[in-house]
Amino acid sequence: MTSRGAGPALSRKNYRLSTEPEKSKVAGIVNSRLLNDYLHRVFTSADGNQPAAAYRKHLTFQNLQEHLDRLLAEENGSEDSRDQGAEGRLGPSTVVLDHTSGFEGLLLVDDDLLGVIGHSNFGSIRATTCVYKGKWIYEVLISSQGLMQIGWCTLNCRFNQEEGVGDTPDSYAYDGNRVRKWNVTTTNYGKSWAAGDIVSCLIDLDEGTIAFCLNGISLGTAFDNITRGAGMAYFPAISLSFKESVAFNFGSRPLRYPVEGYHPLQDPPVSDLVKARRLLGYLKNVIHIGIDVTEGKLVEKDTSMWQLQGEPTVLITLAHIFNYFSPLMCKVYLVEDVLMTFLLSILERGGAVEAHPLIQQLLDLMWLLMEEYEVHECLKQLLMSLLRAYRFSPIIPDLGLQIHYLRLTIAVLKHEKSRKYLLSNVLFDVLRSVVFFYIKSPLRVEEAGLQELIPTTWWPNRFTKEGKESKEVKEESAEERLRRRAYERGCQRLKKRIEVVEGLQVQILKLLLNNKDRGGGEASRYIFLNKFRKFLQENASNRGNLTVLCPPEYMVCFLHRLIAALRFFWDGHKAKTPAALSSDEAYVPPQLFYNGKVDYFDLQRLGGLLSHLKKTLKDDLAAKANVLIDPAELQSVTMDDLDEDEESATSAAQSQRPSAALAIGGALARPGWLSSPTLGRANRFLSTAAVSLMNPRRPLGTLEKVKVRTLSVEQRTEEDIEGSHGNEGLLLGRPPEEPDQPITENSLLEILDGIVMMYNLSVHQQLGKMVGVSDDVNEYAMALKDTEEKISRCPKRRRDIHEELLKSQKVFSEKLNHLSRRLAWINVTIYSKEKMQDIYWLLRVCIRTIEHGDRTGSLFAFMPEFYLSVAMNSYSALKNYFSPVNSMEELPGYEETLMRLAAILAKHFADSRIVGTDIRDSLMQALASYVCYPHSLRAVERIPEEQRISMMKNLLAPYEQRPWAQTNWILVRLWRGCGFGYRYTRLPHLLKTKPEDASLPSLQKPCPSTLLQRHMADLLRSDRDLAPSFLNSVLNQLNWAFSEFIGMIQEIQQAAERLERNFVDSRQLKVCATCFDLSVSLLRVLEMTVTLAPEIFLDWNRPSSELLLRRLAQLLNQVLNRVTAERNLFDRVVNLRLPGLESVDHYPILVAVTGILVRLLVDTDVQGAERATAVMLADPCFQLRSIQYLLGHTEPSALAAAAPATEKRHFSLNTYTEYISAEELAKVDKMLSHLSEESKQAAATTLPTSEEDLCPICYAHPISAIFRPCSHKSCKACINQHLMNNKDCFFCKATITGVDDFTKPASS
């Protein structure tokens, strides 16, 4: 082995040569007496005693190896008796899971056969070794907290997809998910487990008992008198449901929680362990003892500041030690028990990691004196042991265990050579390195010590019984104030402790993002960058593959730490380069999306597939960005190529599996069992299942044989990323619209892009999920408040009820105490003010990125869709998830950010450059939500006038050929609060029912926008083509929606009248209610239009006005007749009060119709009222009774028929005085009087019309139009409506060229 550092050339075979007398003088070897003393002090005997100088053998480097061999042999001899395995065990000495015959169902098993993931309904697997007498223990590391049964079974147990361990007579199991024990029957037992816990399974075959421990705490004896005797031997076994995962430790590693008297199933390597500890002792002696050459004596040294300093005597002594020590450090048990323990002890003295340079010196020694493959294996096992220890350490109040392991991780990663090796080959490849950035949430707050940290609990009490925030802010009592302040102080104490852990996690990332350590190859940051991109690719491309995906709770923590580290380096660069942007102005420049320097995998772009964009926009790329697309590349991008890529990647992964990185246990990967003939026949087991729990992703590097159409991530160098000498690196192809200004280091831009992608992949989803704890607190707080009110009202004589209520009160209080402490943890780790600022910073990054991309014109289509998604989702998270703890209004620049996001939504919801229907729908929904809240609606009103008018024009586009329901909802929200009786938040008849989530957009108070209404009115008046096309489409959709609604309630009524009325399909009810809601909202849009621009209907100089008015009158009469007919279909279905049809009622639809009629007949000029009245009365469907119904007037015959049912109340607008003003009711009275008078006059003056003079189409109006050239006739309403969609004559199919008025000649 060639030396790798200062000092003489050393090798395991030739280091003795440097001890020859003539070389010792040159090399500086100390004299023989001093050397002898030194070696005897270092290499003490097993008992630690040194013989007197006269009796001990003279030691030199020439006989040192012999002396060492003898010392280690003595040590081994004394331990031989302990090396014998305990009796009572059958099976291989190396205990693993039985992947050949001991399983049932579909399972994914680790490379080391110690980890397993359920891949079917309820898969079971047992170990290869069983026990029949004695006391035995094994540990299970819980990676997910779902449904599992862990314990022991015999060989005769037969499991299936429904029955597992504990469901058969001779199997026994503990289930921490349901908190039960199982042996055919089940009873309560133990505590609930969580991901990150360790379950110890103990069996005492001498006493016949089985017990379990959780994180070292005994749960008590679970089973006694278990079956023993001839032929009865018990195997460790587990049954687990789909996607649940665990890892076993049968003794291949030190047990985390050993129990006295119980043996692990696999014997520890006792002789190797003794040897390793002995050699470590010699190593410590070398560090402790120094040689003072000038004085000629040995001296004690300060171990913390020890340095090698190239002393040949010390170096050769260490070489002898490492000659024996190095091979032992490739074994996982020894690394964890000996090396990791020693390194942790160095850091136990406290102080900063930098205050302990000894660890760096030891790592230098390892790289110098160990073979390269040994260093690699040792470092890998060390880091994996650290990760396991970090992940499966219980939460204690000061988080001391987590801090301990993170500090050692930092110390190891501070060593440049070790860091680069681990980054290149272990982090992201072998294990989920992001586990180091995760802080797990304690499920059991008592064990985590939160009771001591937060002794006083508190929860908000500002909710009414309906769950809405109380309107009046009640004065906080003195007791409540004290409790809240004590709780807040406890939360602050917790926050300070968690911030220590977060600070250490950020330190790790700062080491990985170091771009100055170019010694011996590429800087760490560029290795990290390539690995990080692969990590993102695997999480983006395998959304359904659990074994590959990083859990979302890890992603949330990783995102925040990465943002902190990124901003540190970004602002550091700004300090050195004043012209660059600060992190507060960060954005991703648009050229990253099209120059091919950053791989976006197969993620959707705004303009569609990348291959399509390269073909259609290649000229724009060449002209604007000077980016030329290789024609050969365009030809190769076909669907066939993409399929081949997937196949080649799969085959490569399968063929290369033997070289996969090692798994938890660290035993060598077993390529042989993958091709086992037994396994091939066992079709219930995946043959490609060797996927590590700690290595859930495919190994990278050599396994990725995928065709790339841009520069491969693995091949990129620092120059490719940062650029140099005229090469712009990642910023190649700057468009003319982009300012020629340095932003920051290019590598940081790619990390920023990755952070945005991470948020989109799973962070937002997880943020929404964790809000559930806050919702639980609110529900329990409401239940407790309700119970306390019942206790105060309970009569004294009913002691039984009083006692039950007190029990309920106690249960709710205990649950709230538990949840409030857990909520404190979640608020600190996920929803703190600092985390909110991170998400807000990310929102602003996305907004700036979208704005810069938008300026590039057609090249905007290259932007990945996730930028728009993250902009919308991060705003939603800030508004909905963080608001109970922190207010969004307090964020700097909040108003401006809100306005800029509003401008993005307003501009891009109808942007032709965006082709994906999903992202277009998301933009529309986001805008619809935006206009429901006053503060965000005002932001829409603050965007430039040109953009506002453009937005309203897009909203008024015809409703055909597009998803119009959201558009209509937006217009309705802009009107709500202005319409007739339209000032309600919830419908009057629903007030007594429990509301849905009060934060829903549909339950917000009305906040109309008069500014946007004015823009709408101006557009409808000024654009003579816009108004008819828009209104005809609204009328068409209203006709469809209301007709569908009537058809459905007919079916519902028929179903309800049958004996099996309970079987009305819930989906049908939901669709029916949706059609009703759509009808109401379309009527409101018509009311809005009639109010803002009545001339569109009443100014008959406009070519389409009369037709629009006739169509409107026809539809209004149809709706009124259907809804107001006495004892009609609508009445009967409303009175059924079916679940799902809660919104269906008379009030919403009748007040909407009334609003339109009042505007046309009362709130207009005389001429307009006359025209509207004439059209209404001329419609054959018009019935005055329908108008009378609005005010509760009914026909005499109807009253007589209804006389027996005196209790039945008729609908009347007069009963809704809280919702309808007196002025509005007066207008309805005036309208009814007007229509009554006009209908009487019309009836008196109307001459009988012969059938020949009636329109042959509708038979409702006299003939009034004649067609050119065919001279057929009809009324104007029929021909005008027909000509909207068809130019052919009704009768002869000739093309109509014109329509003239027709007046019947007087002679006839």
Side-chain angles (χ1 to χ4, degrees):
M1 179 179 73
T2 309
S3 69
R4 295 179 290 276
L10 295 171
S11 163
R12 297 245 171 105
K13 295 181 180 177
N14 67 11
Y15 60 76
R16 287 184 191 150
L17 297 176
S18 52
T19 64
E20 293 175 14
E22 63 274 14
K23 289 194 176 181
S24 67
K25 295 170 186 173
V26 178
I29 302 293
V30 297
N31 65 60
S32 60
R33 182 187 61 78
L34 194 55
L35 178 62
N36 176 54
D37 289 348
Y38 177 71
L39 293 178
H40 273 290
R41 281 282 298 277
V42 170
F43 299 102
T44 55
S45 58
D47 56 10
N49 297 322
Q50 294 187 32
Y55 296 101
R56 67 189 183 197
K57 183 180 177 182
H58 187 77
L59 284 181
T60 66
F61 284 134
Q62 289 175 317
N63 63 6
L64 180 57
Q65 184 170 354
E66 181 189 339
H67 179 67
L68 252 176
D69 285 337
R70 190 170 63 253
L71 281 176
L72 295 173
E74 283 172 15
E75 199 73 44
N76 253 358
S78 65
E79 297 291 339
D80 274 349
S81 58
R82 272 191 268 172
D83 224 352
Q84 300 300 317
E87 281 187 55
R89 177 177 53 197
L90 293 172
S93 58
T94 302
V95 186
V96 292
L97 296 172
D98 187 351
H99 66 282
T100 55
S101 58
F103 64 88
E104 171 65 40
L106 210 57
L107 300 159
L108 299 175
V109 180
D110 241 355
D111 288 344
D112 62 359
L113 301 182
L114 291 172
V116 62
I117 300 178
H119 213 67
S120 59
N121 184 39
F122 203 50
S124 302
I125 191 167
R126 64 171 183 260
T128 53
T129 298
C130 61
V131 290
Y132 59 90
K133 74 173 183 179
K135 297 180 177 182
W136 303 93
I137 182 174
Y138 71 93
E139 290 182 342
V140 182
L141 285 64
I142 306 293
S143 298
S144 62
Q145 64 191 51
L147 180 60
M148 295 180 277
Q149 291 172 200
I150 300 170
W152 304 84
C153 74
T154 63
L155 195 62
N156 296 326
C157 294
R158 294 288 175 264
F159 304 131
N160 54 43
Q161 293 288 300
E162 303 299 328
E163 293 184 336
V165 181
D167 298 325
T168 58
D170 291 322
S171 64
Y172 305 88
Y174 161 48
D175 171 4
N177 177 259
R178 292 174 288 189
V179 198
R180 304 183 79 78
K181 60 181 179 180
W182 297 80
N183 174 235
V184 182
T185 59
T186 178
T187 53
N188 292 335
Y189 173 78
K191 298 177 181 177
S192 60
W193 61 36
D197 285 342
I198 296 179
V199 175
S200 305
C201 304
L202 297 84
I203 189 167
D204 182 348
L205 288 159
D206 300 331
E207 298 294 330
T209 61
I210 289 175
F212 298 92
C213 300
L214 189 63
N215 295 330
I217 299 169
S218 175
L219 301 176
T221 301
F223 306 99
D224 49 22
N225 296 322
I226 63 172
T227 311
R228 290 171 288 167
M232 295 303 292
Y234 288 91
F235 293 82
I238 184 172
S239 298
L240 65 176
S241 54
F242 184 61
K243 291 187 178 180
E244 303 304 334
S245 59
V246 298
F248 286 84
N249 181 12
F250 299 114
S252 60
R253 300 184 306 276
L255 293 179
R256 175 60 74 88
Y257 302 108
V259 178
E260 189 177 351
Y262 285 81
H263 301 283
L265 265 79
Q266 181 173 323
D267 289 325
V270 178
S271 60
D272 283 347
L273 202 53
V274 170
K275 193 186 291 185
R277 286 173 180 162
R278 194 81 196 130
L279 289 163
L280 181 63
Y282 301 152
L283 178 59
K284 289 178 182 177
N285 290 341
V286 172
I287 295 167
H288 278 284
I289 301 163
I291 305 172
D292 188 338
V293 181
T294 55
E295 295 285 331
K297 64 178 182 179
L298 304 180
V299 293
E300 292 286 332
K301 294 185 71 172
D302 178 8
T303 57
S304 63
M305 303 308 291
W306 181 83
Q307 285 187 324
L308 185 58
Q309 295 175 334
E311 297 174 21
T313 306
V314 176
L315 196 58
I316 295 169
T317 307
L318 288 168
H320 278 84
I321 295 171
F322 272 89
N323 191 42
Y324 295 88
F325 194 56
S326 300
L328 297 175
M329 287 301 101
C330 295
K331 299 179 180 179
V332 60
Y333 196 107
L334 303 177
V335 168
E336 194 164 316
D337 191 79
V338 178
L339 181 62
M340 189 170 94
T341 308
F342 171 54
L343 295 176
L344 285 169
S345 69
I346 295 172
L347 292 173
E348 275 177 355
R349 298 162 195 160
V353 176
E354 293 80 2
H356 302 285
L358 178 57
I359 292 176
Q360 307 299 304
Q361 295 291 319
L362 290 171
L363 289 168
D364 280 338
L365 275 180
M366 288 167 64
W367 281 100
L368 178 68
L369 299 174
M370 291 171 73
E371 298 289 351
E372 198 163 89
Y373 73 89
E374 292 171 338
V375 188
H376 290 173
E377 186 63 23
C378 178
L379 284 172
K380 183 170 75 175
Q381 296 300 349
L382 175 61
L383 211 69
M384 291 174 74
S385 296
L386 276 171
L387 177 132
R388 257 192 313 273
Y390 176 78
R391 186 181 181 195
F392 293 99
S393 290
I395 299 288
I396 57 176
D398 65 352
L399 296 165
L401 296 172
Q402 284 74 13
I403 291 170
H404 205 38
Y405 298 123
L406 285 175
R407 277 164 55 82
L408 180 51
T409 306
I410 291 170
V412 172
L413 291 175
K414 273 186 173 295
H415 189 263
E416 182 179 327
K417 197 165 186 179
S418 302
R419 175 171 70 246
K420 288 184 180 177
Y421 164 71
L422 292 169
L423 201 45
S424 299
N425 301 282
V426 181
L427 297 173
F428 294 109
D429 290 347
V430 179
L431 45 83
R432 284 180 179 153
S433 66
V434 294
V435 173
F436 281 122
F437 309 112
Y438 174 52
I439 302 177
K440 65 183 178 185
S441 173
L443 198 62
R444 300 173 301 278
V445 297
E446 298 81 11
E447 289 171 28
L450 292 187
Q451 281 178 324
E452 292 77 30
L453 209 57
I454 309 173
T456 307
T457 57
W458 173 84
W459 48 87
N461 210 359
R462 62 181 188 279
F463 292 92
T464 62
K465 283 187 185 178
E466 286 78 22
K468 290 171 142 184
E469 288 204 24
S470 182
K471 289 179 186 175
E472 66 282 350
V473 179
K474 291 183 181 176
E475 193 62 38
E476 196 175 34
S477 68
E479 185 188 351
E480 278 185 342
R481 191 181 307 112
L482 285 172
R483 278 183 60 205
R484 177 175 56 79
R485 287 175 179 171
Y487 177 72
E488 287 170 353
R489 284 196 299 273
C491 292
Q492 281 302 314
R493 287 194 292 272
L494 176 64
K495 185 177 181 182
K496 284 177 183 173
R497 295 181 182 190
I498 287 177
E499 280 174 349
V500 174
V501 177
E502 292 176 347
L504 292 171
Q505 292 171 332
V506 173
Q507 273 190 54
I508 292 176
L509 273 173
K510 286 178 182 176
L511 290 170
L512 300 183
L513 292 179
N514 185 346
N515 65 337
K516 306 300 181 196
D517 55 346
R518 296 186 180 85
E522 207 172 7
S524 299
R525 181 184 296 177
Y526 305 103
I527 305 172
F528 173 86
L529 209 54
N530 293 333
K531 295 296 179 184
F532 180 51
R533 208 73 199 169
K534 284 289 183 186
F535 167 79
L536 291 173
Q537 180 176 8
E538 289 177 340
N539 279 276
S541 308
N542 294 279
R543 299 303 290 272
N545 187 349
L546 179 86
T547 60
V548 172
L549 286 181
C550 175
E553 58 269 26
Y554 294 8
M555 281 281 212
V556 174
C557 295
F558 186 33
L559 177 104
H560 289 297
R561 310 303 172 266
L562 198 51
I563 287 176
L566 172 77
R567 297 192 69 177
F568 170 80
F569 283 107
W570 193 301
D571 290 330
H573 179 75
K574 164 72 176 171
K576 295 174 192 169
T577 317
L581 298 179
S582 72
S583 63
D584 286 325
E585 304 166 293
Y587 72 96
V588 180
Q591 54 265 46
L592 259 69
F593 308 135
Y594 57 72
N595 64 17
K597 295 287 187 178
V598 176
D599 187 5
Y600 286 99
F601 336 127
D602 296 322
L603 294 177
Q604 189 78 0
R605 310 298 182 103
L606 293 178
L609 288 173
L610 179 63
S611 53
H612 166 74
L613 292 172
K614 282 182 175 177
K615 289 176 185 175
T616 54
L617 296 176
K618 62 180 181 182
D619 293 338
D620 289 2
L621 280 172
K624 287 188 171 186
N626 199 25
V627 173
L628 299 176
I629 302 296
D630 182 3
E633 186 181 345
L634 289 178
Q635 290 172 6
S636 69
V637 182
T638 64
M639 291 309 292
D640 294 337
D641 288 336
L642 293 175
D643 291 340
E644 287 169 17
D645 286 349
E646 290 171 11
E647 290 167 13
S648 65
T650 308
S651 62
Q654 290 173 351
S655 65
Q656 296 288 335
R657 180 68 67 182
S659 67
L662 303 191
I664 299 177
L668 291 175
R670 300 171 175 76
W673 70 266
L674 287 175
S675 54
S676 155
T678 312
L679 195 58
R681 289 196 297 272
N683 58 11
R684 292 169 299 172
F685 199 83
L686 291 181
S687 60
T688 53
V691 180
S692 168
L693 278 177
M694 307 299 277
N695 172 23
R697 296 171 292 283
R698 285 183 289 132
L700 309 178
T702 57
L703 298 197
E704 289 296 295
K705 307 280 187 189
V706 183
K707 293 178 187 174
V708 289
R709 292 171 288 281
T710 55
L711 188 65
S712 167
V713 167
E714 292 290 344
Q715 296 168 0
R716 296 185 310 165
T717 62
E718 179 179 347
E719 191 173 325
D720 293 322
I721 295 169
E722 300 291 3
S724 64
H725 309 300
N727 168 20
E728 293 181 274
L730 293 185
L731 298 183
L732 174 75
R734 182 175 61 83
E737 297 85 359
E738 185 65 13
D740 185 10
Q741 174 195 6
I743 303 171
T744 188
E745 294 166 287
N746 292 357
S747 50
L748 299 180
L749 291 174
E750 187 173 332
I751 293 170
L752 176 57
D753 174 76
I755 288 172
V756 178
M757 193 189 297
M758 269 173 63
Y759 185 89
N760 185 61
L761 289 175
S762 55
V763 172
H764 181 72
Q765 172 193 359
Q766 183 66 14
L767 288 177
K769 184 179 172 185
M770 296 309 291
V771 173
V773 178
S774 177
D775 294 340
D776 289 346
V777 169
N778 293 335
E779 283 186 21
Y780 277 104
M782 281 161 49
L784 179 63
K785 186 180 177 184
D786 188 43
T787 306
E788 287 171 346
E789 286 177 2
K790 286 178 181 175
I791 290 172
S792 66
R793 295 198 308 269
C794 180
K796 291 182 180 179
R797 64 180 184 278
R798 297 305 305 267
R799 295 185 65 181
D800 54 336
I801 297 176
H802 193 259
E803 285 175 8
E804 288 300 318
L805 287 171
L806 287 174
K807 284 181 187 175
S808 299
Q809 183 188 29
K810 185 181 177 184
V811 170
F812 292 144
S813 296
E814 286 175 356
K815 191 71 179 174
L816 273 168
N817 287 334
H818 171 88
L819 283 174
S820 64
R821 291 188 176 105
R822 188 155 178 250
L823 184 62
W825 184 284
I826 290 169
N827 283 341
V828 169
T829 54
I830 298 176
Y831 300 118
S832 70
K833 188 174 183 180
E834 291 74 19
K835 309 294 185 297
M836 186 182 196
Q837 287 166 347
D838 282 348
I839 304 300
Y840 181 60
W841 178 78
L842 202 57
L843 167 63
R844 290 167 67 117
V845 165
C846 289
I847 288 174
R848 280 189 290 268
T849 302
I850 294 165
E851 288 171 346
H852 279 262
D854 181 34
R855 292 177 203 141
T856 61
S858 59
L859 299 184
F860 180 58
F862 281 96
M863 180 179 286
E865 281 185 354
F866 66 76
Y867 273 89
L868 279 169
S869 298
V870 172
M872 294 181 282
N873 288 337
S874 56
Y875 168 70
S876 171
L878 290 166
K879 182 164 67 73
N880 299 319
Y881 303 156
F882 289 85
S883 54
V885 186
N886 298 293
S887 172
M888 193 178 170
E889 283 81 356
E890 296 171 5
L891 294 167
Y894 160 74
E895 295 289 343
E896 185 212 356
T897 303
L898 218 56
M899 187 197 74
R900 289 166 73 180
L901 180 59
I904 287 171
L905 297 176
K907 180 169 185 179
H908 298 300
F909 82 90
D911 192 335
S912 60
R913 295 171 295 181
I914 302 174
V915 299
T917 51
D918 288 345
I919 191 68
R920 288 174 76 98
D921 285 351
S922 297
L923 286 163
M924 183 69 82
Q925 287 170 14
L927 183 60
S929 173
Y930 225 71
V931 299
C932 290
Y933 300 89
H935 58 280
S936 50
L937 177 59
R938 302 300 164 243
V940 176
E941 293 179 341
R942 288 198 306 273
I943 65 177
E945 184 175 358
E946 183 185 343
Q947 291 184 20
R948 291 198 304 268
I949 293 170
S950 174
M951 176 188 78
M952 292 309 298
K953 191 167 185 176
N954 287 323
L955 289 173
L956 295 175
Y959 279 5
E960 280 81 23
Q961 307 300 320
R962 70 188 184 99
W964 54 269
Q966 286 290 351
T967 304
N968 200 72
W969 166 249
I970 293 170
L971 294 174
V972 166
R973 284 301 309 192
L974 298 179
W975 179 243
R976 192 171 186 172
C978 295
F980 183 91
Y982 200 34
R983 290 170 289 280
Y984 56 80
T985 301
R986 295 185 70 212
L987 289 167
H989 69 284
L990 292 179
L991 283 181
K992 293 179 183 177
T993 63
K994 189 176 179 182
E996 304 164 66
D997 181 6
S999 64
L1000 287 175
S1002 57
L1003 292 178
Q1004 300 310 303
K1005 293 178 181 177
C1007 51
S1009 171
T1010 51
L1011 176 63
L1012 297 177
Q1013 288 176 21
R1014 193 163 65 246
H1015 290 324
M1016 177 177 171
D1018 293 342
L1019 283 166
L1020 290 172
R1021 289 193 191 101
S1022 59
D1023 191 332
R1024 298 229 162 195
D1025 296 325
L1026 177 69
S1029 61
F1030 169 68
L1031 288 168
N1032 276 313
S1033 69
V1034 172
L1035 292 167
N1036 288 341
Q1037 299 299 352
L1038 175 60
N1039 187 30
W1040 166 82
F1042 192 71
S1043 301
E1044 285 290 311
F1045 168 69
I1046 293 300
M1048 284 184 182
I1049 62 172
Q1050 285 174 344
E1051 293 175 18
I1052 290 167
Q1053 171 65 17
Q1054 290 165 6
E1057 286 175 349
R1058 295 196 296 266
L1059 291 175
E1060 60 272 23
R1061 57 177 291 181
N1062 292 332
F1063 297 98
V1064 179
D1065 186 3
S1066 59
R1067 286 173 299 178
Q1068 187 181 12
L1069 293 173
K1070 192 173 181 180
V1071 173
C1072 178
T1074 302
C1075 287
F1076 179 78
D1077 293 340
L1078 286 174
S1079 301
V1080 173
S1081 63
L1082 287 161
L1083 284 166
R1084 286 297 185 182
V1085 169
L1086 288 168
E1087 180 194 17
M1088 180 184 187
T1089 312
V1090 169
T1091 306
L1092 296 174
E1095 58 269 35
I1096 296 169
F1097 293 93
L1098 302 176
D1099 180 4
W1100 286 6
N1101 293 322
R1102 288 171 169 258
S1104 55
S1105 291
E1106 185 182 353
L1107 170 62
L1108 287 170
L1109 185 59
R1110 289 188 186 282
R1111 288 198 67 195
L1112 178 62
Q1114 182 184 17
L1115 278 169
L1116 294 179
N1117 282 324
Q1118 284 180 13
V1119 171
L1120 280 171
N1121 293 344
R1122 289 285 192 177
V1123 176
T1124 62
E1126 196 65 37
R1127 296 187 304 284
N1128 66 356
L1129 180 66
F1130 187 87
D1131 262 344
R1132 292 201 295 273
V1133 170
V1134 166
N1135 291 330
L1136 287 173
R1137 294 296 176 202
L1138 295 172
L1141 291 184
E1142 291 87 357
S1143 63
V1144 177
D1145 192 63
H1146 293 82
Y1147 181 83
I1149 196 161
L1150 288 180
V1151 288
V1153 172
T1154 307
I1156 299 172
L1157 292 175
V1158 165
R1159 188 68 187 87
L1160 288 173
L1161 300 171
V1162 179
D1163 291 343
T1164 187
D1165 56 33
V1166 176
Q1167 186 184 31
E1170 288 174 356
R1171 287 175 178 169
T1173 306
V1175 169
M1176 280 293 293
L1177 297 177
D1179 186 81
C1181 298
F1182 175 75
Q1183 294 180 23
L1184 186 63
R1185 179 195 56 76
S1186 296
I1187 308 296
Q1188 293 168 338
Y1189 182 93
L1190 297 174
L1191 293 173
H1193 302 170
T1194 53
E1195 296 174 8
S1197 59
L1199 279 172
T1206 51
E1207 73 278 31
K1208 177 173 170 62
R1209 294 176 61 191
H1210 289 280
F1211 175 85
S1212 172
L1213 295 177
N1214 289 310
T1215 60
Y1216 294 93
T1217 51
E1218 289 185 21
Y1219 299 90
I1220 304 171
S1221 67
E1223 184 186 355
E1224 287 173 330
L1225 286 171
K1227 289 179 181 178
V1228 179
D1229 269 325
K1230 185 176 178 183
M1231 176 183 74
L1232 178 57
S1233 304
H1234 172 71
L1235 285 175
S1236 301
E1237 187 63 34
E1238 290 296 322
S1239 59
K1240 286 177 188 174
Q1241 289 183 14
T1245 56
T1246 302
L1247 297 172
T1249 308
S1250 70
E1251 193 171 318
E1252 291 178 3
D1253 296 335
L1254 289 174
C1255 168
I1257 305 301
C1258 65
Y1259 285 96
H1261 305 291
I1263 293 171
S1264 56
I1266 184 168
F1267 317 156
R1268 292 199 308 265
C1270 60
S1271 300
H1272 285 111
K1273 305 177 190 71
S1274 77
C1275 66
K1276 282 186 179 178
C1278 286
I1279 187 58
N1280 286 341
Q1281 190 163 346
H1282 176 69
L1283 289 175
M1284 283 170 52
N1285 303 309
N1286 199 327
K1287 301 299 181 186
D1288 295 341
C1289 172
F1290 286 113
F1291 308 102
C1292 64
K1293 303 301 178 188
T1295 302
I1296 297 173
T1297 58
V1299 178
D1300 297 324
D1301 289 344
F1302 173 78
T1303 307
K1304 185 178 178 183
S1307 58
S1308 56

